[in-house]
Amino acid sequence: MSDKGLFKYKGRREDRRFITGQGQFADDHNLPGQVYACFRRSDRAHALIKSIDVEAARRSPGVLAVLTGKDVAEEGFATLPPIQPPPGRGGMALLWVDRPILARDRVRFAGEEIAVVVAETQGQARDAADLIEVEFEDLPVLIGPKRAMAPGAFQMHDKIPGNLCFDFEYGNEKAVADAFTRAAGSVSLTAESPRVAPNPMEVRSALAAYDEAKDVYSFYSPNQGGPAFCHELSIVSGIPHEKIRVPMIDVGGAFGARTAPFSEYPVLMVLTKKLKRPVKWLSTRSEDFLTDNHGRAVSLKGELAYDANGKFLALRTEWLCDSGAYLSHAGAFTNSINGFVIGAGVYQVEALYGRHYQVMTNTAPTNAYRGAGRPEANYIVERLVDEAAAKLDMDPFELRRRNMIKKTQFPYKTLTGAMFDSADFHALVAKAKEAVDWKGFAARRRQSRKAGKLRGIGTAVFIEPSGGGGMKKDEVAVLFDKDGRATIHNVAGSSGQSHETVFPELVARWLGIDPEKVVGKSGDPDGPHLIGHPSIGSRSAFSQGSAFKVASDIIIEKAKKIAADELEAGVNDIEFANGVFTIAGTDRSMTMTKVIEKSCAVVPSPLDTIAERGISMAFPSGAHVAEVEIDPDTGKVDVVNYIAVDDMGNVINQVLADGQVVGGIVQGAGQVFGENCQYDPDDGQLLTGSFMDYCMPRAGLIPSIGLFNVVVPTPNNPLGVKGVGEAGSTGSLPACMNAVLNALRTVGVKHFDMPATPARIWSAIAAAKPGA
């Protein structure tokens, strides 16, 4: 496979539906007789609930039901258990508590659900919810992990002493200390990865319906994989999963925030059964800012020791992770395990030690968000390497070259036991340097200086894990109808990944049939029951795509027997290539299309196949370079060039892969240059609860992006693909911030943290001036 991809781009199958407004998202689904829900949320960040008065709401026009936590206390609701990381320091296990479905006695963050109103119209439901009176007794508010961990801090949960739910470590603390004592030099720094709101284009929404005759619920909601979502909805609602249908719908963005069901959802299932009418809930953008699981929120420390030749000796990092008021399903896990897996990045070090603190605060819970710990793990390492290069007055790429793992060392076992499958970091760097004209930067900087601007360049060479997962396998199905069409089923849902296009093209290519005769369905509740993972961890193409390869090979073997019978030959004499079965050494043949047509005379077709692929991992990597120009009079930053060289393994569809990389780059840059969820430190109110106050990244943020590939296929799956969905956000965080710091160092700024907004940059420049 070349870096042009397997297929010539012919457009996505879903494009016409989306660009003509025919997409069917959650709010586009309506059912006869549906009514509307609205939640009364806490306006306090931490308080005891003394009383709840719902009488005015019940009397409000159109109101059909009002429920509080006491009304649903016996419904069998449960908390989705957080994924357990490996044992922590001293064998510590992750501590967690149940999150109440509708708070009863106490609220722990602004926006937490207290009651729900159902009315005939959406407006009536919202008006009535405003009438619910709640008497609070305020409690101390803890914003930020440092405040929550301070001696004597108020304890948020009885079962989580000191508000520390997990203390995780890896590596060899003593070996690192010994290496630092004999080092010729070292650098240290702190760095922030600010809390961000995921903000998919589609806000959270749900439509619940109950079929009393069948005792079955239908639940329409954006998700990243229907079967996994259904399983988890069953856990939180207490309703058996076989009684829940999650229909396939279009999803307007996810980024990790649409994997698991939210706490509003089981309440809707109770209401639809109670009222015997479908119940719809549509979040507002403000509610999403308040209560959608946030991302990042990590404070980092790092130290890097090196010898007299610039060879890295040891790396020590510390993560202070803000987990929010309750643990989400994946937040603590990803903020622990990804540092463990890729703690030293792409570099060889003699010793490594990392320690991660997961801390409870009076804020919205944090969860896996595009990259999910990968950006932070690479960010602290790449910031340290650039800091060392500046201190040593060495070219940043040269310092990296001296310390990177070599291609001949793969597969490479890290100091924490992770096994990197394949990469060529030196080839990535060589292509990035050439593409960005690294040697010409000094001349470009002089030109900017003449124009009164500061120019900086920054790079990041990174690696990230993809794949894995909690289930042991991914299943797919290929079923044929009487007209010879193939319907292929998988479980990962698309929210922009184009499964609807990619998987049918792959299966059609392997079987040698017309792609137009292959239709993809993800998570179809009316299809075969399949086990597998949602769209998480940049894994769908190589896990479920590989499962489709297994299925296609099985179908070819089944079809070979049919072709042998039709051609009156032995099965062992039949060869298959390019969609044609041929008797070896003859010109007698039969196409796969004809074989399918023959087989479809019988229902079900003997070619119908369910196949599986065990889980595996791969390690995509990349070298990204950002070049920025800063106006010192205003602090405004322009990203004047961005180069991304990625090793995503074999490329299936170059245009779609490029789209994933660009989206990730801009998402990461959005965090660097503005995105930041800020809470008032005294009362815990979210200060950035709308796009009036929260920075929205726009397409012009990075107007020029050059995309290149270095293809090193992974041996860990039959497609040789590694994953691409999170590479952009993993590379752009350190590349953009290193570029900003490279520019600011020229005017004496020694430390600077995200977000790199004009006001903060201007202030940093002003503070660095002599006499300031």
Side-chain angles (χ1 to χ4, degrees):
M1 301 179 195
S2 74
D3 64 357
K4 298 299 182 184
L6 257 173
F7 302 109
K8 183 178 179 180
Y9 186 66
K10 299 178 181 178
R12 301 190 307 171
R13 295 185 178 200
E14 54 268 49
D15 280 346
R16 179 172 294 277
R17 182 169 79 251
F18 290 152
I19 65 176
T20 58
Q22 298 178 60
Q24 290 294 299
F25 300 91
D27 192 40
D28 293 310
H29 291 272
N30 296 286
L31 295 172
Q34 73 184 26
V35 291
Y36 298 84
C38 181
F39 288 85
R40 168 65 160 93
R41 301 184 181 277
S42 171
D43 57 8
R44 311 296 174 90
H46 199 193
L48 297 176
I49 298 175
K50 306 301 290 184
S51 66
I52 305 174
D53 185 351
V54 301
E55 291 310 311
R58 283 201 172 107
R59 294 193 302 268
S60 189
V63 169
L64 302 170
V66 181
L67 297 181
T68 66
K70 292 181 180 179
D71 298 319
V72 298
E74 304 302 320
E75 291 293 342
F77 294 157
T79 297
L80 187 64
I83 304 171
Q84 283 285 341
R89 187 177 175 91
M92 182 182 186
L94 179 67
L95 303 178
W96 62 283
V97 297
D98 285 328
R99 176 176 176 173
I101 304 296
L102 300 182
R104 291 188 284 277
D105 305 313
R106 183 169 166 183
V107 292
R108 290 179 171 86
F109 72 100
E112 187 170 358
E113 306 83 17
I114 296 175
V116 61
V117 174
V118 181
E120 293 287 355
T121 70
Q122 192 174 75
Q124 289 172 333
R126 289 177 178 171
D127 288 344
D130 288 340
L131 297 175
I132 296 175
E133 295 289 341
V134 183
E135 181 185 355
F136 293 105
E137 181 181 314
D138 288 331
L139 295 172
V141 173
L142 303 174
I143 300 300
K146 291 179 182 178
R147 193 168 177 180
M149 291 179 68
F154 193 92
Q155 189 163 313
M156 285 181 55
H157 299 281
D158 293 341
K159 296 181 181 179
I160 304 179
N163 301 311
L164 179 66
C165 65
F166 196 47
D167 183 353
F168 183 61
E169 67 175 352
Y170 48 87
N172 190 321
E173 189 174 12
K174 183 180 183 304
V176 167
D178 292 344
F180 269 85
T181 61
R182 58 186 169 82
S186 67
V187 291
S188 63
L189 58 82
T190 61
E192 295 293 324
S193 181
R195 175 185 287 258
V196 296
N199 275 324
M201 291 179 67
E202 180 186 21
V203 295
R204 285 182 297 146
S205 52
L207 173 61
Y210 177 65
D211 186 327
E212 189 172 15
K214 296 180 179 179
D215 190 23
V216 170
Y217 296 81
S218 292
F219 201 88
Y220 301 78
S221 183
N223 64 79
Q224 293 176 229
F229 183 88
C230 178
H231 171 72
E232 293 171 355
L233 185 59
S234 170
I235 292 173
V236 298
S237 67
I239 298 168
H241 70 86
E242 61 269 16
K243 294 186 176 184
I244 303 174
R245 296 181 75 259
V246 179
M248 297 185 302
I249 61 173
D250 291 321
V251 178
F255 316 122
R258 299 294 179 261
T259 306
F262 284 87
S263 54
E264 294 92 348
Y265 296 173
V267 180
L268 303 179
M269 300 178 78
V270 167
L271 287 164
T272 187
K273 185 174 184 179
K274 176 184 176 72
L275 298 174
K276 299 182 180 181
R277 294 174 69 177
V279 179
K280 174 178 274 194
W281 171 65
L282 181 65
S283 175
T284 64
R285 182 61 67 183
S286 293
E287 283 180 289
D288 268 19
F289 269 113
L290 275 172
T291 62
D292 217 340
N293 290 336
H294 293 164
R296 312 295 189 238
V298 181
S299 298
L300 300 155
K301 290 182 181 178
E303 298 173 90
L304 177 66
Y306 48 83
D307 69 12
N309 296 316
K311 179 181 180 292
F312 299 161
L313 299 178
L315 176 69
R316 179 163 47 210
T317 61
E318 178 184 290
W319 297 39
L320 197 56
C321 307
D322 190 338
S323 295
Y326 304 96
L327 288 187
S328 65
H329 186 49
F333 176 79
T334 54
N335 273 341
S336 299
I337 200 68
N338 282 327
F340 167 82
V341 171
I342 53 172
V346 303
Y347 306 105
Q348 301 179 73
V349 294
E350 296 178 10
L352 168 71
Y353 179 72
R355 191 167 180 183
H356 298 216
Y357 302 91
Q358 311 283 349
V359 186
M360 311 305 295
T361 67
N362 292 121
T363 59
T366 55
N367 204 348
Y369 167 76
R370 197 173 194 169
R374 299 166 181 82
E376 286 77 13
N378 284 283
Y379 180 57
I380 188 62
V381 172
E382 290 302 290
R383 282 287 309 278
L384 284 166
V385 174
D386 254 36
E387 197 73 17
K391 185 173 181 178
L392 294 168
D393 193 24
M394 185 182 295
D395 178 273
F397 266 138
E398 173 57 24
L399 183 59
R400 286 171 168 83
R401 186 194 64 78
R402 294 185 185 186
N403 290 282
M404 291 188 302
I405 303 163
K406 297 177 175 62
K407 184 179 181 180
T408 55
Q409 294 177 271
F410 288 93
Y412 181 86
K413 188 174 183 179
T414 71
L415 293 176
T416 57
M419 188 65 74
F420 294 169
D421 57 293
S422 59
D424 190 345
F425 303 137
H426 292 79
L428 291 168
V429 165
K431 185 167 281 193
K433 287 179 69 174
E434 178 187 6
V436 79
D437 185 19
W438 185 263
K439 292 180 179 178
F441 172 71
R444 297 193 295 277
R445 170 173 272 179
R446 287 193 294 271
Q447 289 296 319
S448 294
R449 189 179 296 121
K450 289 178 182 178
K453 304 290 181 67
L454 310 178
R455 199 176 190 98
I457 195 166
T459 186
V461 186
F462 64 89
I463 191 166
E464 52 155 342
S466 62
M471 303 178 197
K472 294 183 178 180
K473 62 184 179 180
D474 285 284
E475 291 182 325
V476 299
V478 181
L479 309 179
F480 296 87
D481 65 19
K482 60 182 178 59
D483 296 318
R485 287 190 298 264
T487 299
I488 65 174
H489 296 264
N490 71 298
V491 295
S494 178
S495 55
Q497 297 90 340
S498 304
H499 297 165
E500 194 175 324
T501 297
V502 172
F503 290 145
E505 285 185 348
L506 283 173
V507 171
R509 177 180 181 271
W510 293 323
L511 297 182
I513 61 179
D514 183 356
E516 296 301 318
K517 301 198 78 173
V518 184
V519 176
K521 291 189 175 183
S522 297
D524 184 359
D526 297 320
H529 177 69
L530 301 173
I531 297 170
H533 297 81
S535 293
I536 55 172
S538 301
R539 66 183 316 282
S540 298
F542 80 70
S543 57
Q544 293 174 29
S546 293
F548 277 126
K549 179 66 168 70
V550 174
S552 297
D553 289 343
I554 293 172
I555 291 168
I556 290 168
E557 290 304 309
K558 290 179 177 179
K560 190 178 288 186
K561 295 176 183 178
I562 297 173
D565 289 343
E566 292 293 321
L567 295 171
E568 299 178 338
V571 173
N572 294 334
D573 295 327
I574 299 295
E575 298 175 343
F576 179 75
N578 301 319
V580 179
F581 295 96
T582 306
I583 301 175
T586 76
D587 60 357
R588 296 183 61 205
S589 63
M590 185 177 187
T591 65
M592 174 64 86
T593 300
K594 287 292 184 184
V595 172
I596 292 172
E597 290 174 357
K598 286 281 184 182
S599 73
C600 291
V602 180
V603 179
S605 167
L607 296 181
D608 287 356
T609 297
I610 294 178
E612 65 183 56
R613 166 81 181 168
I615 64 168
S616 61
M617 293 183 68
F619 287 85
S621 57
H624 289 199
V625 183
E627 195 166 337
V628 302
E629 199 172 57
I630 298 174
D631 183 341
D633 294 329
T634 64
K636 183 177 183 294
V637 183
D638 290 315
V639 182
V640 294
N641 194 15
Y642 195 100
I643 296 296
V645 184
D646 286 284
D647 170 18
M648 57 192 81
N650 285 332
V651 181
I652 295 173
N653 185 310
Q654 189 67 58
V655 173
L656 299 181
D658 287 350
Q660 289 289 313
V661 174
V662 169
I665 288 170
V666 176
Q667 208 156 348
Q671 181 182 358
V672 169
F673 294 112
E675 289 193 66
N676 187 9
C677 284
Q678 299 182 69
Y679 286 90
D680 186 299
D682 296 322
D683 63 15
Q685 296 299 315
L686 183 64
L687 302 176
T688 51
S690 76
F691 284 122
M692 293 291 288
D693 305 296
Y694 186 90
C695 174
M696 178 195 289
R698 290 172 169 80
L701 181 61
I702 304 183
S704 172
I705 301 178
L707 302 174
F708 303 87
N709 295 346
V710 167
V711 178
V712 183
T714 178
N716 291 356
N717 65 70
L719 306 187
V721 301
K722 293 180 177 178
V724 67
E726 289 156 305
S729 56
T730 301
S732 61
L733 239 66
C736 288
M737 274 303 290
N738 278 342
V740 169
L741 264 296
N742 182 256
L744 292 179
R745 285 191 192 100
T746 64
V747 290
V749 177
K750 296 181 179 179
H751 180 78
F752 186 78
D753 262 324
M754 290 186 266
T757 60
R760 298 187 75 250
I761 287 178
W762 184 90
S763 297
I765 294 171
K769 290 179 179 178

